[in-house]
Amino acid sequence: MLILGIESSCDETAIAIVRDGQEVLSNQVSSQVKLHARYGGIVPEIASRKHVETIHLLLEDSLKEAQISPQAIDAIAVTNGPGLQGGLLVGITTAQTLAWLWDKPLIDINHLEGHIHACFLAHPEIDFPLLVLLVSGGHTELIMMTDHGQYKVLARTRDDAIGEAFDKVARLLDLPYPGGPQIDKLAKLGNPQAFNLPIAMKNKPDFSFSGLKTAMLYTIRDLQESNQPLPVEDLCASFQEVAIESVVFKAINYARKNKIQQIAVSGGVSANSLLRSKMMQRSEKHGIKCFIPPLNLCTDNAAMIAASAYFKWQKMPRDSFDNLKVYPRYPLDR
Ligand code: KG4
Ligand code: ZN
């Protein structure tokens, strides 16, 4: 089954074509990062306008890269939440138009479910039950997955998402947007023990990052007031160590206590080099298999949406053409 996936929930416009939830024939992504960088964050109105300008070009490129004609496509899949309303509307309008024009069924996909299926694209051998650590710009969740489409959210963040914390701390340090990759890069040059920062809610199931963010704010302010040059690398390394350790600790702890043998890590922050190495090392130590997608499938893309749609269609063939709505807030276990 050939599925054309569309993703436009945030600041990436993406169109991909995937066969049987497994074989990526094309994966076109156009990032708006440079456009938003000057504002220090995503401007929703600019994002939706750029999606409109870009999406049809990506469609052409994606069909060309896959070397297939529209007739060969079996279904169209599109992200309908969570995300920015304007961007989501561009995606679903494009999807509905193509579904009508080419007479294909339309499959709506939760963006978070897409991130999870990026792991299956890269690692078809994954089995259930699976513990998923979902870490992105908008979400930090620990999820128990017992089958495709069967999710139980075990823990979520009480305040900021981990990616949001990376981006906000980067802003405090005057680093360009998006801050996550910048902190990751600079942290490699710093000492992770240079500053003593708190791990919030270590013995509770949920996550929290606002205390860590405030601790960074005060640490940076104190350094500035004492007229010392900012040790940016050490600050990045210390912050990253605590932020990453807090999610690694909870995921591994839960898996060990509940004898879960497999963990998948997904979402934009799963591109973080420290998270990747800590998860692999800690899992191996405890005899747990850990699956993390390659970097190009960690951040937003449409291959994960097409893959997710394949599994959804196998379980529940349902054309969402008539009742497709966007959900800016869209919990996975709704
Ligand atoms: O999944 P994603 O592309 O979009 C959402 O669904 O939110 O995640 C974007 C987030 C941003 O906060 C970005 O700073 C973070 O992922 N990110 C990283 C890294 N690469 C992307 N955070 C830490 N280290 C990275 N290498
Ligand atoms: Zn995402």
Side-chain angles (χ1 to χ4, degrees):
M1 182 178 189
L2 273 184
I3 300 184
L4 180 135
I6 300 176
E7 160 62 41
S8 58
S9 64
C10 196
D11 61 345
E12 260 95 28
T13 324
I15 299 202
I17 298 170
V18 177
R19 193 193 305 279
D20 296 339
Q22 206 59 187
E23 190 190 346
V24 180
L25 303 188
S26 64
N27 190 13
Q28 294 284 330
V29 182
S30 169
S31 171
Q32 303 179 0
V33 159
K34 285 200 185 117
L35 197 63
H36 298 286
R38 79 186 77 157
Y39 305 103
I42 299 168
V43 184
E45 193 51 42
I46 294 177
S48 10
R49 260 186 247 168
K50 194 65 188 170
H51 286 307
V52 172
E53 284 171 23
T54 315
I55 206 156
H56 62 286
L57 302 171
L58 283 182
L59 174 64
E60 274 174 34
D61 290 350
S62 205
L63 287 167
K64 209 180 280 173
E65 187 191 346
Q67 294 187 325
I68 55 156
S69 67
Q71 292 77 31
I73 305 275
D74 294 297
I76 313 285
V78 62
T79 303
N80 69 328
L84 301 172
Q85 184 151 11
L88 291 167
L89 281 169
V90 175
I92 71 155
T93 308
T94 307
Q96 280 174 315
T97 308
L98 294 178
W100 174 76
L101 204 63
W102 297 344
D103 194 20
K104 309 289 178 190
L106 188 53
I107 308 166
D108 53 313
I109 293 295
N110 182 313
H111 180 79
L112 306 178
E113 200 167 3
H115 272 304
I116 293 172
H117 279 102
C119 299
F120 287 84
L121 255 181
H123 302 284
E125 70 275 23
I126 300 182
D127 207 353
F128 300 110
L130 176 71
L131 184 66
V132 181
L133 175 63
L134 181 70
V135 279
S136 72
H139 294 81
T140 310
E141 297 186 353
L142 205 53
I143 299 153
M144 181 52 71
M145 186 175 180
T146 46
D147 198 350
H148 295 288
Q150 300 293 318
Y151 308 100
K152 184 170 180 228
V153 179
L154 305 166
R156 39 171 58 97
T157 180
R158 296 265 179 100
D159 37 62
D160 291 348
I162 183 168
E164 192 180 354
F166 267 87
D167 295 339
K168 286 180 177 168
V169 166
R171 251 178 116 156
L172 294 175
L173 292 168
D174 264 341
L175 299 173
Y177 172 86
Q182 300 289 332
I183 290 184
D184 191 352
K185 199 165 83 187
L186 291 167
K188 292 196 173 87
L189 310 169
N191 172 9
Q193 317 306 335
F195 296 93
N196 196 8
L197 298 161
I199 287 198
M201 309 223 293
K202 197 160 181 182
N203 299 314
K204 299 229 170 87
D206 279 348
F207 302 96
S208 166
F209 294 96
S210 69
L212 175 58
K213 192 184 62 189
T214 309
M216 285 298 290
L217 174 73
Y218 290 141
T219 305
I220 294 167
R221 194 182 289 170
D222 289 350
L223 287 164
Q224 282 166 336
E225 277 172 7
S226 62
N227 280 331
Q228 293 178 45
L230 273 188
V232 177
E233 288 92 353
D234 286 349
L235 286 163
C236 287
S238 302
F239 162 76
Q240 178 174 268
E241 174 64 30
V242 171
I244 295 299
E245 181 56 30
S246 71
V247 293
V248 171
F249 173 81
K250 285 193 185 181
I252 298 289
N253 226 19
Y254 186 91
R256 287 184 65 201
K257 275 195 185 147
N258 295 279
K259 305 205 172 359
I260 308 293
Q261 302 294 321
Q262 306 193 96
I263 303 183
V265 188
S266 66
V269 182
S270 62
N272 182 272
S273 57
L274 184 67
L275 175 61
R276 297 172 81 88
S277 62
K278 273 193 185 242
M279 280 305 295
M280 294 313 286
Q281 281 165 14
R282 208 76 62 85
S283 303
E284 201 183 320
K285 183 172 162 202
H286 298 292
I288 300 165
K289 285 189 198 143
C290 181
F291 304 97
I292 313 178
L295 294 182
N296 68 324
L297 295 177
C298 287
T299 41
D300 289 350
N301 65 88
M304 67 186 197
I305 303 302
S308 197
Y310 172 77
F311 292 106
K312 187 169 182 178
W313 188 259
Q314 301 306 306
K315 292 224 151 260
M316 193 178 48
R318 185 174 64 89
D319 188 338
S320 50
F321 191 85
D322 287 332
N323 57 4
L324 190 53
K325 289 196 191 97
V326 300
Y327 298 99
R329 297 174 69 85
Y330 195 179
L332 200 50
D333 51 357
R334 197 178 76 134

